[in-house]
Amino acid sequence: MHFTEYDTRVAGYAVIVNEAQEILLSWFNGGHHASHAVWTLPGGGVEFDEGIEEATVREVREETGFDAELVRPLTTHTFTEAHRHAVYGEVTARPFKAVRVVYEARIIGGRLGTLEIDGTTDRAEWVAISSLSEMRHARIIDIGLEAWRRVHAEA
């Protein structure tokens, strides 16, 4: 399929782990689909007029209240859907491709508290990495943590 025949969403996400081995997560409320609510990495879509790094830092701030600095790219993840079931209720007739870049980041300021108003993030929390298996969470967390662990195992 030619790239003009499907929609693409580029997004950036951040893995931020503190000294207590807690990861900073945001609660995705599912938009119009409350049954899709899950914990996820802070991050989201790149706006038309911004770069992926800038978008990732902006999304971290909006979703968690923290100012972040990107340390390094960790991994990428791509998936496709035959039809996009959008967060805000509409369904597109075109196939959809998500391209996600996951960065390691660190906190450089701000304070915990979601700044997003009427969005898809209700709150943010530091969550023990060891408790993730007991929580409903998005696959992007596992993808990001796996890459983070590889980098830190080599250090």
Side-chain angles (χ1 to χ4, degrees):
M1 179 180 305
H2 191 265
F3 73 89
T4 60
E5 299 176 86
Y6 58 88
D7 296 326
T8 302
R9 179 179 186 260
V10 178
Y13 295 88
V15 173
I16 303 171
V17 177
N18 66 19
E19 291 178 4
Q21 294 300 293
E22 297 170 319
I23 186 168
L24 182 60
L25 300 179
S26 58
W27 178 253
F28 170 69
N29 63 27
H32 287 306
H33 306 283
S35 63
H36 295 160
V38 292
W39 285 105
T40 189
L41 292 176
V46 176
E47 300 294 338
F48 183 76
D49 60 346
E50 67 185 351
I52 192 163
E53 296 88 357
E54 178 186 2
T56 305
V57 168
R58 174 186 52 76
E59 288 282 350
V60 169
R61 174 116 174 98
E62 289 175 1
E63 293 182 2
T64 71
F66 287 118
D67 297 315
E69 174 181 70
L70 302 182
V71 176
R72 67 178 61 92
L74 291 173
T75 192
T76 61
H77 180 254
T78 302
F79 69 88
T80 59
E81 296 176 352
H83 302 286
R84 180 65 174 161
H85 297 279
V87 171
Y88 295 105
E90 70 275 6
V91 176
T92 66
R94 291 168 50 94
F96 171 81
K97 182 175 193 169
V99 179
R100 307 188 292 182
V101 178
V102 181
Y103 295 91
E104 179 179 2
R106 66 175 154 247
I107 302 300
I108 58 170
R111 65 174 199 224
L112 185 64
T114 303
L115 303 176
E116 195 172 82
I117 298 171
D118 295 328
T120 57
T121 302
D122 289 346
R123 66 188 184 279
E125 291 181 19
W126 290 101
V127 174
I129 292 172
S130 60
S131 70
L132 282 173
S133 63
E134 303 161 16
M135 301 171 61
R136 181 180 169 124
H137 65 278
R139 186 164 175 250
I140 193 69
I141 296 172
D142 299 325
I143 292 165
L145 269 176
E146 180 182 322
W148 181 85
R149 286 181 176 122
R150 271 194 313 268
V151 166
H152 289 273
E154 296 168 1

